[in-house]
Amino acid sequence: MYSGAAAAAGPPRRDFISVTLGPEEAVGVGGYNNSKAWRRRSCWRKWKQLSRLQRSVILFLFAFLAVGGVISYTSMGEAWKSITNKSLDEQRTEQEIPGLKLANPAVLPAPQKADANRGDYPELSLQKPPKPPHVRRGPSNLQIKAPRRDRLKTQHDTIRAVEELVEADKVEKTEKSIISWRGAVIEPDQSTEPPSSKIKEPEKPSSVEAEDQKEPVPINERQLAVIEAFRHAWKGYKDFAWGHDELKPLSKSYSEWFGLGLTLIDALDTMWILGLKEEFEEARKWVANDLVFDKNVDVNLFESTIRILGGLLSTYHLSGDSLFLEKAKDIGNRLMPAFKTPSKIPYSDVNIGRGTAHPPRWTSDSTVAEVTSIQLEFRELSRLTGDEKFQKAVDEVMKHVHTLSGKNDGLVPMFINTNSGQFTHLGVYTLGARADSYYEYLLKQWIQGGKKENELLEDYMRAIEGVKKHLLQRSEPKKLAFVGELAHGHFSAKMDHLVCFLPGTLALGAHNGLAADHMKLAEALIETCYQMYAQVETGLSPEIVHFNLHAQKGHKDVEIKPADRHNLLRPETVESLFYMYRFTGDKKYQDWGWEILQNFNRYTRVSTGGYTSINNVQNPSNPEPRDKMESFFLGETLKYMFLLFSDDIDLINLDKYVFNTEAHPLPIWVPA
Ligand code: DMJ
């Protein structure tokens, strides 16, 4: 409707509607008259102006609406009756807690002001807004019962604030934590917390109490056999090598590497896990009275970290005995000079008495696996001591390696220069010696830190893709999947026994939510590792195998070169069997491990005590004993055997502990 007055008063408004009326109703004709009589007359005039047909249609419509109205009134009445016929209990509740009906109304609620009921009934204010489902630990003031009115506003504000925080957190988590890698989307576990870059309070051992409270699970026959094997090995060590690095069981003597009782320290947590209290106490006494690190001796940074520092830390966690933490701190501090290099990539060797470090005599290179497989231990030492220098040093190495060029689809070369910080000897890629535990520690650090350090995960995922692309092949005739090597573009069907850590690591990743095809690959590879034992005359794997890529009559999948047919009592296959059994429950993995233990007993056991590495796995009548029991036989091989035969998933629960590369369990900082 156009208003001349409005036009005169100012600029025309644009939000009008225009209606065309008949002449009589037009403004200005007879003036504005809105009386009831006028309106009645006007309606009647209109009605008369309609044709008969139009009147009939209108009358029909009225009749139709009237009938519909009567019907819907009847059914509304039924519904209303059912509402008013609620149980007496409900009615009582409403009387006792008036307003509950409004919080949880049965039918359309009356519109209400947001705070109308909250002032009187704070319980209701807790229902609305609802507690966000993914908040696990709310701020404590949400749980404090506030007096009704005076705390209400604060409470409501807190709930809002929590909601906002949760929303913000959700967005941040989505942005930060979802990594898309070649189509794989990984969402880290929501229950973990971000790792703190700042080290705070010294920590208590992780699980002593929990372990103590558990009902002991009976030990089975196979586990007893492992205990017997351990005791036999320990007898040899005790009788002929006590306090020295390694037993030489045939010559009934010992060998020294660092002169630090390596076998004894490596075996401490195994004794704890196997329940060998007497042996443990005796070994503890030696640590307390005879283990001295103030010695003018060169030690290898990696080996002493994974065996000594790792062994002491895990024994501290399992036993709760602070002696082991004190010793761990001592050796940790003495290893720190290794990081004083131009590039901060550590030297391979440290003199723990003098506090000096150096690379090997012939080069300024360090091994990639060595500098990237000391992180779990140093990070844990920082957490326990509250001294961040250990973690800082090793984190810096990982960050640096993350940025380096020279990788091949995530696969790393084997050497890195301590001056330039660059990879050297480019072009050779393996998951065996000198690179192996780089891959293992990418995943395990990510797990240790609560699955938040995305660079580690990225590097791990990329590397596994690299393995699939460049190193994975199938053998003939059994079509076993195996991981070979790449040297300057040429594939070699050579696989170290060391690579058999990989199925276990892949399975651990899959257990922690990574791509399901990692588990498939793990299943295929552990079969291959088992065949590396089963296809050999003694049933024991050689150090290195070559796989046949082409079917040849009378040839097996596995070929062994004379230089590679030794066995050092290594743990990797048994380690992976343990993970596979834990995650699948498939008994065949236990059976395979049992076969291996029996073959160790058959061909490597020395009657006067101890086990020995052998020179020839292909000659059952003379496997040529080497006269050396490596410390990892007690630290790793027998420990993983014992865990493999156990059906108790809480015996070193893999959601609470992560094993270092020498099988020493360290706590996951924020367990699942
Ligand atoms: C152990 O010292 C460790 O497992 C290391 O990562 C590789 N070599 C031996 C066992 O074979």
Side-chain angles (χ1 to χ4, degrees), residues 182-245:
R182 300 211 177 158
V185 176
I186 303 116
E187 183 140 28
D189 194 315
Q190 298 292 311
S191 70
T192 56
E193 288 171 357
S196 165
S197 56
K198 188 108 187 87
I199 308 298
K200 292 164 222 130
E201 295 285 289
E203 291 284 335
K204 290 253 170 313
S206 52
S207 58
V208 182
E209 277 171 45
E211 299 288 331
D212 284 351
Q213 284 163 7
K214 264 183 41 204
E215 280 285 301
V217 174
I219 289 190
N220 60 44
E221 291 281 306
R222 288 177 175 181
Q223 285 179 293
L224 281 174
V226 179
I227 290 175
E228 193 282 322
F230 184 95
R231 280 208 161 114
H232 182 78
W234 193 246
K235 179 191 174 333
Y237 179 75
K238 200 176 150 187
D239 288 352
F240 311 120
W242 186 250
H244 297 285
D245 282 345

Side-chain angles (χ1 to χ4, degrees), residues 88-386:
L88 273 175
D89 278 351
E90 273 179 276
Q91 289 182 28
R92 229 175 277 129
T93 312
E94 279 179 31
Q95 280 158 16
E96 285 160 11
I97 314 172
L100 188 61
K101 196 170 69 176
L102 294 175
N104 188 17
V107 282
L108 301 171
Q112 47 188 304
K113 283 191 180 160
D115 285 325
N117 294 297
R118 290 179 189 163
D120 293 334
Y121 307 106
E123 308 86 301
L124 291 180
S125 70
L126 284 176
Q127 293 175 21
K128 203 180 178 190
K131 192 179 168 200
H134 52 294
V135 176
R136 284 176 198 240
R137 265 165 269 124
S140 53
N141 57 352
L142 273 180
Q143 288 153 27
I144 296 168
K145 285 227 168 188
R148 288 187 164 189
R149 288 173 192 276
D150 50 355
R151 298 259 179 103
L152 186 68
K153 192 172 176 308
T154 323
Q155 205 172 32
H156 178 64
D157 290 347
T158 310
I159 293 166
R160 274 268 17 108
V162 170
E163 277 190 322
E164 278 162 22
L165 276 175
V166 167
E167 273 313 305
D169 187 35
K170 219 159 67 181
V171 171
E172 196 183 45
K173 270 190 184 129
T174 313
E175 284 168 4
K176 272 192 191 164
S177 62
I178 295 182
I179 292 173
S180 179
W181 178 252
R182 300 211 177 158
V185 176
I186 303 116
E187 183 140 28
D189 194 315
Q190 298 292 311
S191 70
T192 56
E193 288 171 357
S196 165
S197 56
K198 188 108 187 87
I199 308 298
K200 292 164 222 130
E201 295 285 289
E203 291 284 335
K204 290 253 170 313
S206 52
S207 58
V208 182
E209 277 171 45
E211 299 288 331
D212 284 351
Q213 284 163 7
K214 264 183 41 204
E215 280 285 301
V217 174
I219 289 190
N220 60 44
E221 291 281 306
R222 288 177 175 181
Q223 285 179 293
L224 281 174
V226 179
I227 290 175
E228 193 282 322
F230 184 95
R231 280 208 161 114
H232 182 78
W234 193 246
K235 179 191 174 333
Y237 179 75
K238 200 176 150 187
D239 288 352
F240 311 120
W242 186 250
H244 297 285
D245 282 345
E246 290 130 349
L247 167 68
K248 295 179 78 174
L250 294 174
S251 51
K252 300 190 177 65
S253 63
Y254 56 84
S255 55
E256 220 66 292
W257 188 5
F258 310 143
L260 296 172
L262 213 51
T263 295
L264 188 148
I265 299 175
D266 230 358
L268 283 168
D269 58 4
T270 306
M271 290 184 268
W272 185 270
I273 291 167
L274 269 55
L276 301 175
K277 278 200 171 164
E278 244 174 63
E279 289 85 346
F280 180 83
E281 284 309 326
E282 217 175 337
R284 185 207 178 273
K285 263 188 211 139
W286 183 87
V287 173
N289 302 327
D290 300 296
L291 178 59
V292 178
F293 293 127
D294 190 9
K295 276 186 170 177
N296 180 8
V297 59
D298 275 356
V299 302
N300 174 282
L301 170 70
F302 163 74
E303 297 290 359
S304 53
T305 298
I306 64 169
R307 299 184 200 216
I308 300 174
L309 179 56
L312 291 168
L313 288 173
S314 70
T315 306
Y316 167 64
H317 276 292
L318 295 176
S319 68
D321 185 338
S322 59
L323 165 71
F324 300 107
L325 180 57
E326 288 312 310
K327 292 288 178 187
K329 271 191 245 176
D330 190 5
I331 186 70
N333 276 309
R334 287 171 188 278
L335 293 174
M336 287 306 284
F339 296 91
K340 285 191 198 141
T341 69
S343 65
K344 308 270 178 65
I345 297 297
Y347 289 130
S348 58
D349 296 283
V350 191
N351 187 303
I352 53 173
R354 288 196 185 146
T356 53
H358 58 87
R361 241 170 288 139
W362 60 91
T363 174
S364 54
D365 288 352
S366 286
T367 296
V368 170
E370 291 193 359
V371 301
T372 55
S373 312
I374 48 179
Q375 278 67 15
L376 292 178
E377 300 82 357
F378 277 91
R379 282 155 49 114
E380 177 59 9
L381 187 58
S382 270
R383 199 181 70 93
L384 289 171
T385 60

Side-chain angles (χ1 to χ4, degrees), residues 302-303 306-307 498 570-572 632 636 661-662:
F302 163 74
E303 297 290 359
I306 64 169
R307 299 184 200 216
L498 287 171
R570 284 197 191 277
E572 290 77 16
F632 50 70
E636 297 194 67
T661 192
E662 188 75 7

Side-chain angles (χ1 to χ4, degrees), residues 186-187 189 443 446-447 451 457 460-461 464 502-523 579-580 583-584 654-655:
I186 303 116
E187 183 140 28
D189 194 315
L443 178 76
W446 178 70
I447 292 171
K451 299 192 247 182
L457 179 59
Y460 176 74
M461 296 300 286
I464 300 305
L502 186 60
T505 298
L506 287 168
L508 181 65
H511 174 73
N512 279 280
L514 304 189
D517 73 321
H518 286 200
M519 193 62 189
K520 287 267 156 266
L521 183 54
E523 282 165 2
Y579 285 106
M580 296 307 292
F583 298 139
T584 66
L654 291 174
D655 293 321

Side-chain angles (χ1 to χ4, degrees), residues 534-584:
Q535 293 196 9
V536 179
E537 289 78 350
T538 55
L540 291 175
S541 170
E543 180 73 355
I544 298 168
V545 298
H546 286 77
F547 285 93
N548 280 314
L549 291 174
H550 308 287
Q552 279 173 283
K553 219 171 161 214
H555 282 250
K556 297 180 190 164
D557 300 72
V558 167
E559 298 278 346
I560 305 166
K561 304 212 162 157
D564 305 330
R565 57 190 184 200
H566 50 289
N567 179 299
L568 304 183
L569 312 170
R570 284 197 191 277
E572 290 77 16
T573 295
V574 184
E575 170 186 352
S576 285
L577 287 172
F578 156 64
Y579 285 106
M580 296 307 292
Y581 180 66
R582 269 285 166 98
F583 298 139
T584 66

